[in-house]
Amino acid sequence: MLCLRQVCLFTLRHYQARTLSSDLLLRQINSCTHEDEVFSLVGRNKARLSEKHVGIALNMLWQLQKNRPLLLRTSDYIRNHSQFLTLCILAENKVEHMEDEAIVDSLYSILRLNVEDHDSLAEVLVTEAWKRLERQVLLSLPALSKFALCLYKQRRHCSPVTGKVAHIVNMKLDSIQDIRILSVLMISISDVISQSFRDRLLQKAEQLMEDKHEVHFNYAKRILQFLQNIKLRYHPLLEKCNEIFLRSASHLDIHSISLIFGLYEQLGFDNAEFRLVAKQLLSETIDDCYDPETFAKLFSTLGPMAGSKVRERLLVTAACMAEEFSGRQVLVILKTMQKMKCRNSPLLKKMACVLHKHLDSYHVLQLVKLTQYLVVLHFHNLELFAKLKMLLFGFLKSSVIPADTAAIIRVLAMLPSFQVEEIIINKVAAVLPQCRLQHLNSIATALVKWNHYDQLHWQNNSELCAKLLRKLNDCGFQRLQKANNLNLLLEELTHVNGEWFEEVLSEETVAVCQHLIDQITWANVLQLSFFLIKTNHRCTSLLDRIASVAVENIHKIHPFEICFILHLFSALNYDPPANQEFFESCIQHLTSNLSCFETHHLVLLGHVLAVAGYFPPVLIKKIFNISFLSKLDSQLKVLSDTLKQRVHSHLMKLNRAVCLECPEFYIPWFHERYCQRVFRNSSSRVNPLRQHVHRVLTEILGGSNYARISVLTPYYYEIDFECILDENKKPLSYMAQNIPLADVEGVYLRHDIKDDGRKALPPGAQRIALEFLDSKAFSKDSRHLKGEPAVKKRHLEMLGYRVIQIPHFEWNSMVLSTKGEQVEYLKKHLYGTQ
């Protein structure tokens, strides 16, 4: 008994001594201030290190790095240290004894120290964590999010273990109350979630982001990354994220702003207010950008919205820094120059010199983008283009991915004087059956161009090209005929543009959409509306279905999307069966949510509704307000030139419509100078058709002094021809009325509005506007007048004209093949007699 007691006491003393010693070692590791101290402790205590010591040591190495600025970190030194290898070996051997969260912390630490994704320790830690999850071990939510992030950093986006994490998140979603944890989990599992689970995540994120004071801008960036991963432009979350960025503006640096702009671009979202804030912040940091990476981000973000002085500084600095740019940074600079439409010759030459040392390091899609940038910027360097041709041709020969093949073909067709070899045609023929619609469109465009410019240099080239185009058409039809999912089809159609698609597949695609009409839901009406606007198709069955779905689900559809749906009906001048209910429901939803719109979007909305003949007072009064217009002016400065011109034009048209149709609003006409400037800068001249018609008109009316050509009306409508008939339908001479005539053969055809002779006409006289309407005035393959020409007719009638519109399909028909028939046709419209 005494011996047993002594053994127990010895064991207890030994255990206590070991525990005290272990606790001391843990305290020593935790108190280290430099990596070498950690490594020294590891080296002296290898035999005594437990799994807990190892986990704490790995975590401490990362914490020491984390506390240093990025440029002062020494991850390479740590990974190459002999004692780090010792730690990794010990961790591998002791992983089964580690606590659950210690496994996750160790994995996170080594990945942050830039250990290879598939390093043996990383593999062992992931495997052990996975085993425990399978055994229903419940990690805390912070640990689960950290583990999910590790899997994401290892690019295990679609792995079974990521699926297991997603399953756990699905089960625990209601208990997650931390947006930081949720945002990490969302981006980590984004590739393995169903649509219903995706919707639950979006709703949960919206809920947690309601507390505007606690959401950090980094969490909002993760939400954007999630939306980009799932390729969904979800406006409610985008707007919430944007609000957070605006509130956190003082904490944003160049890198954050660049990332946000990049995500916005990929998501098709923009916000002028954030652009203004970003422009101010970035303009203040120009002098602090010394390294190429930071400057490239500054250039790409600030360049497109900078004023002339700042833009010049950026270009000069870029030229000075050119030699230091990496291959990726050169691409960023050239892409931005394309956006800026900047063909700065000195900078382009510098970029060309730098490119030669990077060309061999680019992968195929980078080369495609590079070639496109240089061509669009009209850069001329035969040596560089020769090298690009050689590299692209090499990639084409070995390419087995249809998308890559189509991209190479498309960009090769952009190159000047490219001689097409038969091997390219054979490659195209082999890949066609695997191509999506946008790839077929790219290849068709290239083939047509090569054939047109006679760049197919071998025997029977035209016959081969024609045969290939027929095969390409067949592949397009077959792909459409196999389509049985409207969402997938619309996603594919988003990227299709060009003459080949419009001429060959446009009608067939509309027919397929009609076949899948039952699949139209509130979630895809926007995409379908975009497609119909783009193709200019007035398909009544699809339009009616879109209208009914929109009315039934009006509160599920974001107001911004309702605006584009209305644009479809307004542009095509189509009234659905329940037209009044449709427009009133949409307008009520829009006017209740005007705060969702930016200033320039409200202008576009106002114009869309005006074309359809609707002028909601709350919207009109909001737009034609001095404070609103001042805000619009400031925000237009940071928008692209194309969008800026569009907004200016639509504001003018809206102003004109309100003045003519809603005088009760007492809105003044304030676009006189704008219209004068636009017409001064336009290059309209008399074309042969106008000259011919003018001669026919003068013959009918009795002389050139009875008809004016290319006339400007009040409010700056331009009409092709104008004449005046008295109460007996006899022409009145402009000279007799002291009204100046246009110079038919001259270049400057437009009259000054003040001298356009809008004097009172004799009693019973009538001013006639004769307009020729080309195919752009009508829906595709239709004789139905579109919205804008219909509005012009309505407004001209308000200005006192009798409007005669001559459609192209009537004037160019065989019925009017002779001059005599044309004379009788015009007489009938002018006088109402044969």
Side-chain angles (χ1 to χ4, degrees), residues 508-626:
E508 179 71 16
T509 306
V510 172
V512 173
C513 290
Q514 284 180 279
H515 178 67
L516 302 174
I517 197 168
D518 291 337
Q519 296 183 29
I520 298 175
T521 67
W522 69 268
N524 60 28
V525 286
L526 178 66
Q527 280 182 294
L528 181 57
S529 298
F530 275 139
F531 168 69
L532 293 176
I533 290 171
K534 184 169 65 175
T535 57
N536 191 26
H537 267 283
R538 184 177 174 271
C539 178
T540 57
S541 59
L542 289 176
L543 290 166
D544 293 346
R545 173 68 176 171
I546 289 171
S548 64
V549 168
V551 171
E552 290 169 11
N553 300 275
I554 194 72
H555 294 293
K556 294 180 183 178
I557 305 174
H558 192 274
F560 190 70
E561 297 179 357
I562 290 289
C563 175
F564 282 97
I565 293 170
L566 283 179
H567 175 46
L568 170 65
F569 291 84
S570 172
L572 295 181
N573 189 26
Y574 178 72
D575 294 335
N579 184 56
Q580 188 171 355
E581 181 190 3
F582 169 63
F583 271 96
E584 286 181 359
S585 297
C586 290
I587 290 171
Q588 184 179 355
H589 186 50
L590 289 166
T591 52
S592 301
N593 293 278
L594 291 181
S595 59
C596 295
F597 291 87
E598 292 192 76
T599 54
H600 65 283
H601 288 150
L602 285 175
V603 172
L604 302 180
L605 171 61
H607 176 254
V608 164
L609 291 174
V611 171
Y614 292 89
F615 300 87
V618 63
L619 176 62
I620 300 303
K621 290 175 181 177
K622 185 176 181 67
I623 292 174
F624 293 103
N625 176 284
I626 292 176

Side-chain angles (χ1 to χ4, degrees), residues 700-703 705-707 723-726 728-734 831:
I700 294 171
L701 297 171
N705 57 317
Y706 291 103
C723 64
I724 302 172
L725 299 181
D726 66 12
N728 298 315
K729 294 189 177 180
K730 291 183 178 180
L732 294 179
S733 169
Y734 283 95
Y831 304 127

Side-chain angles (χ1 to χ4, degrees), residues 216-436:
H216 193 275
F217 67 88
N218 277 333
Y219 311 155
K221 283 194 294 186
R222 289 197 199 112
I223 297 297
L224 286 187
Q225 288 172 317
F226 170 74
L227 292 175
Q228 194 273 326
N229 286 353
I230 62 174
K231 294 180 174 57
L232 180 68
R233 181 170 51 190
Y234 187 64
H235 280 282
L237 270 183
L238 283 167
E239 288 163 3
K240 288 182 186 297
C241 290
N242 193 71
E243 290 171 9
I244 292 165
F245 297 142
L246 288 172
R247 290 199 304 272
S248 310
S250 59
H251 303 291
L252 298 176
D253 58 12
I254 293 174
H255 303 283
S256 294
I257 293 173
S258 175
L259 175 62
I260 292 166
F261 269 100
L263 290 168
Y264 277 178
E265 182 179 359
Q266 292 176 66
L267 289 165
F269 178 78
D270 204 356
N271 181 266
E273 191 175 354
F274 181 70
R275 279 182 168 273
L276 280 171
V277 170
K279 181 181 178 181
Q280 179 63 36
L281 291 171
L282 295 173
S283 298
E284 294 169 359
T285 63
I286 292 179
D287 296 329
D288 301 324
C289 292
Y290 304 111
D291 66 289
E293 178 64 19
T294 305
F295 177 79
K297 290 180 178 179
L298 176 71
F299 187 90
S300 67
T301 310
L302 181 58
M305 54 186 179
S308 56
K309 291 183 179 179
V310 172
R311 177 180 292 204
E312 189 59 33
R313 286 184 63 190
L314 290 170
L315 293 171
V316 170
T317 307
C320 294
M321 204 179 278
E323 291 293 333
E324 303 174 51
F325 288 140
S326 67
R328 186 183 59 79
Q329 289 157 4
V330 169
L331 282 177
V332 169
I333 299 295
L334 290 173
K335 178 183 178 180
T336 308
M337 291 179 72
Q338 179 186 314
K339 278 186 184 178
M340 295 163 62
K341 297 179 182 176
C342 171
R343 297 166 186 166
N344 184 280
S345 183
L347 179 54
L348 282 174
K349 288 178 180 177
K350 286 281 186 97
M351 291 293 104
C353 293
V354 176
L355 274 171
H356 282 288
K357 65 182 180 184
H358 295 300
L359 283 180
D360 293 326
S361 65
Y362 287 135
H363 61 66
V364 58
L365 293 182
Q366 287 178 319
L367 271 180
V368 166
K369 290 176 182 177
L370 170 62
T371 307
Q372 176 184 314
Y373 301 151
L374 293 173
V375 171
V376 172
L377 289 168
H378 299 296
F379 181 64
H380 301 289
N381 185 307
L382 295 179
E383 183 185 355
L384 181 58
F385 277 129
K387 183 71 182 291
L388 285 170
K389 288 176 187 177
M390 182 189 72
L391 291 170
L392 287 167
F393 196 61
F395 276 120
L396 182 64
K397 287 180 178 178
S398 60
S399 174
V400 293
I401 301 173
D404 290 357
T405 301
I408 298 169
I409 295 290
R410 176 178 59 81
V411 83
L412 283 175
M414 298 173 70
L415 291 173
S417 305
F418 179 73
Q419 303 303 314
V420 185
E421 297 183 25
E422 193 166 358
I423 187 174
I424 294 179
I425 299 300
N426 294 333
K427 186 74 176 182
V428 169
V431 80
L432 285 182
Q434 306 168 57
C435 285
R436 292 164 66 101

